[in-house]
Amino acid sequence: MMAMFRSFVSAAQLRQHQQQQSGAAAAAPGESLESQFSCPICLEVYHKPVSIASCAHTFCGDCLQPCLQVTSPLCPLCRMPFDPKKVDKSSSVEKQLSSYKAPCRGCSKKVTLVKMRSHISSCTKVQEQMANCPKFMPVVPTSQPIPSNIPNRSTFVCPYCGARNLDQQELVKHCMENHRNDPNKVVCPVCSAMPWGDPSYKSSNFLQHLLHRHKFSYDTFVDYSIDEEAALQAALALSLSEN
């Protein structure tokens, strides 16, 4: 799965780089011109596009802005570290947005890409399509309220830089690669998500804590109805039985 993702990212990066260098707008087979010039974050046509120099990925200026507020930013698309000082206005993409036209997804009228956002916001056909989109319904009808206070124990946020959607192993790898020398005391996002976790406790050596306490997945070993010591003993017993 990871190899497929990297292949997809590499192909997208190469295509985007070729477009920027040549100024061509040859869409990939089955890919619309509008989607070809859409921001990977907001999924709309680029607005004031900027590009990251190190990986050549392009985003709307406003969409990328939150990533520039952290100490060690990562590209939202390929997760590669980048220098926030080396993010520049993408003049080549702006030129293409002003040159090329694409059909509106609602009324099919051909609109210059740079004006597509404003057109879509006022297109009655698009608004009708959005109004007719199916509303969310539980898979199994239930009269019980859907709980909203269940903590997310599947993915975590890096306590150093704010990188999101890291599973437990990715969090360990990310912190070892990007924050090995960070002296700050931080709260462990894995522990704080557990029933016994203290969301205010800051680990003095977070990397060592990660390596010793979170090499395995709590979701695999933990019964959330028991206390921490019993959970750790159960995990240890299971890991020894597999060796």
Side-chain angles (χ1 to χ4, degrees):
M1 182 66 70
M2 184 60 70
M4 291 177 62
F5 173 75
R6 287 173 178 165
S7 176
F8 170 79
V9 169
S10 298
Q13 179 177 344
L14 176 61
R15 185 168 67 252
Q16 188 179 63
H17 180 71
Q18 290 173 337
Q19 291 166 5
Q20 294 172 354
Q21 294 298 317
S22 67
E31 184 180 19
S32 70
L33 193 61
E34 181 182 348
S35 63
Q36 186 186 5
F37 287 94
S38 292
C39 171
I41 297 177
C42 67
L43 305 181
E44 296 289 344
V45 173
Y46 292 123
H47 177 64
K48 297 182 179 179
V50 295
S51 294
I52 299 174
S54 56
C55 64
H57 288 138
T58 302
F59 306 90
C60 297
D62 289 343
C63 292
L64 188 63
Q65 196 59 38
C67 296
L68 305 179
Q69 308 304 315
V70 298
T71 305
S72 304
L74 303 175
C75 172
L77 189 58
C78 66
R79 292 280 183 84
M80 292 296 293
F82 68 91
D83 184 347
K85 295 180 180 178
K86 295 183 179 180
V87 175
D88 301 309
K89 176 181 176 182
S90 184
S91 300
S92 60
V93 174
E94 279 197 333
K95 182 178 179 181
Q96 291 172 333
L97 293 175
S98 298
S99 301
Y100 303 131
K101 291 185 176 183
C104 166
R105 69 188 77 157
C107 65
S108 300
K109 176 182 178 181
K110 284 207 167 186
V111 181
T112 307
L113 289 175
V114 74
K115 297 180 179 179
M116 185 65 76
R117 280 184 179 236
S118 59
H119 172 81
I120 286 176
S121 65
S122 60
C123 177
T124 55
K125 291 287 187 181
V126 173
Q127 301 308 315
E128 288 174 4
Q129 291 174 358
M130 293 176 65
N132 292 328
C133 287
K135 303 296 187 294
F136 169 78
M137 293 291 291
V139 175
V140 179
T142 175
S143 60
Q144 299 298 317
I146 298 175
S148 60
N149 60 344
I150 298 177
N152 176 10
R153 298 188 180 111
S154 300
T155 59
F156 307 95
V157 176
C158 172
Y160 290 116
C161 68
R164 296 180 175 273
N165 299 322
L166 302 171
D167 65 25
Q168 200 161 294
Q169 291 182 337
E170 289 173 338
L171 177 65
V172 175
K173 183 174 184 291
H174 166 80
C175 288
M176 290 301 296
E177 291 180 350
N178 298 285
H179 307 294
R180 185 183 291 271
N181 299 316
D182 196 317
N184 293 321
K185 294 182 179 181
V186 294
V187 175
C188 174
V190 183
C191 288
S192 62
M194 299 301 142
W196 56 79
D198 181 355
S200 63
Y201 176 76
K202 292 187 177 182
S203 175
S204 58
N205 193 330
F206 179 60
L207 292 182
Q208 286 300 315
H209 170 82
L210 274 181
L211 291 174
H212 286 92
R213 296 293 294 275
H214 301 308
K215 281 188 176 181
F216 64 87
S217 172
Y218 272 114
D219 282 338
T220 302
F221 298 111
V222 172
D223 176 354
Y224 293 111
S225 64
I226 61 178
D227 61 25
E228 180 179 20
E229 184 61 29
L232 290 174
Q233 290 300 323
L236 179 60
L238 186 55
S239 63
L240 290 175
S241 68
E242 292 179 346
N243 292 332

